[in-house]
Amino acid sequence: MKSDVELIADKRNGLVLDPNDIKRFVVDYAAGKIPDYQMSAMAMAIYFRGLISEELGPWTEAMLHSGRIIDLSHIKTMKVDKHSTGGVGDKISLPLAPLVAACGVPVPMISGRGLGHTGGTLDKLESIPGFRTDLDVDRFINLVETIGVGLIGQTADVCPADKKLYALRDVTATVESIPLISSSIMSKKLAEGIDALVLDVKVGSGAFMKTLDDARDLAQTMVGIGESMGKRTVALLTDMNQPLGRMIGNALEVGESIDVLKGRGPDDVRELTLALAEVMLELAGVDPSLAKKRLDDGSGLARFGEIISAQGGDRRVIEDPDRLPKAKQQLVLTASQSGVIESMDTRGIGMAAVLLGAGRLRTDDIIDPSVGIELDVRLGDRVEKDQPLGIIHHNGQGSSTAQTRLQKAIVIGDGASTNRPLVIERIG
Ligand code: URA
């Protein structure tokens, strides 16, 4: 058995570490026996040298076993979840989870909060008056048993090693490492008690991964981890060169999700919801065409209402979206010149929403559920000078800075835009 310093040196020198050494290192870190400065050095060595799949398996397994693994084995049908690597306007979990549950496939979904330019499912759900996401694991299990879906936040006892390591990576410039991102995401997902997982790996100007090659690498790494742990895992690489749907901001996105479950809503949100639902059903051994049927017959919408009630929310928002929080003021965003929408700095658009109060720069920032951006143009659209591009919904905070930022982020020119298909590629 090698010492901690020898293991760090071996990784620094590009050697492959022994699985037992890896497990012990992670377990000892979680138990406080390895100080942060040694884990920082190891994370930096991994950042430069990477981990091969024979190392990533034990690393992820040790992270997974650092806390509670939810046991749903008494539910005999396949349980399937979806994870998105994060984007702008990405509200897909909201229509997707109830829709898949309405097809008879249980969805145990533990989600995160928004940070930086990306939004978070928990913040969106909590914009529904009364909706609680801080439920304990026993109640979560009960929801999955009875309604077929539970939507909660990370609990302290699930993957504590990841919580500690993620905070360390955040301050040691080691977040952007494909093996560390993959093991962090997969350990948390595998702790949910799922049998299969669909990953929505975003690529483009609003995503973690800016290039197709990097996104493919991340997707292949995560699929490899899932499969090595006996869980069917599929990744879809999907476009994030423009926001998803028209709405960015918590309550606005809930309203748009309800629209999609009513058979309306923007085409891209509907398309991606169905694409992900179909793969989830396929992995569960259910006919994928059921997703469209259950969307069209209103079963997905009805299931969303059940979840809202069961988690303490006001389900009347479904019939009466005016019950969702609403910003007091609106500012129309107009085109600064005539031309074609050539590109969007989608991250910049997400940051404009953060300036209004829709998101956080620090984990302890308080968000305003009512504010956000409504964007009425897509890549490739022709616009005339002074034509409205969208509406900034605000409560006085940050509206003019957000307006300037949006004008810069939406690039109008003469050239053609590279408008990619929404679902670019499937891996697994
Ligand atoms: N999301 C996670 O959960 N972990 C990472 O490392 C990056 C994004």
Side-chain angles (χ1 to χ4, degrees):
M1 175 101 51
K2 293 196 171 179
S3 73
D4 301 334
V5 179
E6 283 171 321
L7 290 178
I8 298 167
D10 281 356
K11 187 39 65 187
R12 180 199 65 198
N13 296 337
L15 302 184
V16 173
L17 306 183
D18 179 85
N20 291 321
D21 284 335
I22 290 180
K23 278 192 189 164
R24 185 200 52 81
F25 196 88
V26 175
V27 168
D28 282 357
Y29 174 65
K33 293 186 200 158
I34 290 182
D36 277 351
Y37 51 80
Q38 282 189 306
M39 185 50 112
S40 306
M42 178 61 96
M44 191 57 85
I46 291 172
Y47 178 92
F48 283 112
R49 293 295 192 172
L51 291 173
I52 63 166
S53 57
E54 286 75 8
E55 297 172 299
L56 249 184
W59 181 281
T60 310
E61 227 170 290
M63 302 261 287
L64 169 65
H65 289 281
S66 70
R68 178 170 180 180
I69 301 174
I70 297 172
D71 184 4
L72 296 173
S73 57
H74 59 287
I75 303 174
K76 294 300 170 207
T77 41
M78 295 273 286
K79 282 86 47 194
V80 188
D81 190 16
K82 184 264 324 187
H83 175 81
S84 160
T85 56
V88 178
D90 184 2
K91 71 274 299 167
I92 300 294
S93 291
L94 274 62
L96 178 69
L99 176 61
V100 172
C103 297
V105 176
V107 183
M109 188 177 271
I110 300 184
S111 305
R113 296 197 177 276
L115 188 60
H117 70 287
T118 64
T121 300
L122 297 183
D123 299 322
K124 295 171 206 208
L125 289 168
E126 285 175 359
S127 71
I128 300 170
F131 197 103
R132 301 239 344 238
T133 60
D134 59 343
L135 308 177
D136 65 24
V137 169
D138 291 336
R139 177 69 181 131
F140 175 66
I141 294 173
N142 177 256
L143 287 170
V144 179
E145 286 167 350
T146 52
I147 306 180
V149 53
L151 304 167
I152 65 163
Q154 196 71 37
T155 63
D157 52 355
V158 170
C159 284
D162 178 66
K163 209 171 179 156
K164 202 172 163 193
L165 179 57
Y166 193 80
L168 189 66
R169 287 167 54 211
D170 208 22
V171 292
T172 56
T174 50
V175 169
E176 297 90 349
S177 151
I178 285 181
L180 292 178
I181 294 173
S182 305
S183 51
S184 165
I185 291 173
M186 292 303 288
S187 58
K188 284 178 287 196
K189 287 285 131 181
L190 295 169
E192 289 175 340
I194 49 171
D195 301 298
L197 178 66
V198 178
L199 296 158
D200 180 2
V201 178
K202 303 281 181 208
V203 54
S205 63
F208 243 123
M209 298 293 148
K210 306 282 180 255
T211 69
L212 207 45
D213 280 349
D214 283 348
R216 203 175 276 131
D217 195 0
L218 178 64
Q220 278 164 347
T221 306
M222 289 195 289
V223 168
I225 293 173
E227 294 286 341
S228 76
M229 299 213 180
K231 311 290 179 190
R232 277 292 285 124
T233 310
V234 168
L236 297 185
L237 304 190
T238 72
D239 185 59
M240 190 32 74
N241 274 321
Q242 58 187 330
L244 258 173
R246 290 172 54 232
M247 301 298 185
I248 303 146
N250 299 289
L252 291 168
E253 292 190 41
V254 170
E256 190 166 73
S257 303
I258 292 170
D259 269 353
V260 167
L261 285 168
K262 286 180 176 170
R264 309 192 295 249
D267 290 347
D268 59 340
V269 180
R270 179 182 166 92
E271 179 189 340
L272 190 52
T273 302
L274 282 173
L276 291 163
E278 284 162 9
V279 182
M280 290 171 79
L281 296 187
E282 174 200 319
L283 296 186
V286 173
D287 178 3
S289 69
L290 196 57
K292 187 171 177 305
K293 287 190 193 123
R294 292 291 168 262
L295 183 60
D296 292 343
D297 71 10
S299 312
L301 181 68
R303 192 62 62 104
F304 192 42
E306 284 177 54
I307 300 164
I308 294 175
S309 292
Q311 298 200 204
D314 181 356
R315 74 186 288 170
R316 290 173 299 176
V317 296
I318 288 191
E319 293 316 322
D320 184 7
D322 281 344
R323 290 179 179 275
L324 289 166
K326 255 199 165 128
K328 293 192 182 67
Q329 299 177 58
Q330 298 192 344
L331 180 65
V332 177
L333 182 73
T334 54
S336 54
Q337 63 178 84
S338 298
V340 172
I341 309 283
E342 269 186 359
S343 66
M344 293 195 202
D345 165 15
T346 311
R347 186 175 189 285
I349 296 173
M351 290 311 293
V354 173
L355 290 171
L356 301 171
R360 299 182 183 79
L361 290 176
R362 294 161 39 121
T363 46
D364 54 356
D365 286 345
I366 307 283
I367 61 160
D368 180 344
S370 68
V371 298
I373 298 158
E374 185 178 334
L375 207 57
D376 294 322
V377 285
R378 312 280 305 158
L379 288 178
D381 283 358
R382 167 131 207 116
V383 294
E384 300 306 326
K385 184 170 171 10
D386 297 329
Q387 175 185 326
L389 302 178
I391 298 170
I392 297 171
H393 297 260
H394 68 102
N395 284 320
Q397 180 193 319
S399 56
S400 59
T401 331
Q403 186 181 28
T404 312
R405 192 123 197 192
L406 286 167
Q407 303 277 14
K408 228 173 105 185
I410 301 167
V411 180
I412 303 171
D414 298 329
S417 71
T418 45
N419 204 350
R420 282 194 300 216
L422 184 55
V423 179
I424 303 162
E425 196 172 307
R426 171 177 167 149
I427 290 172

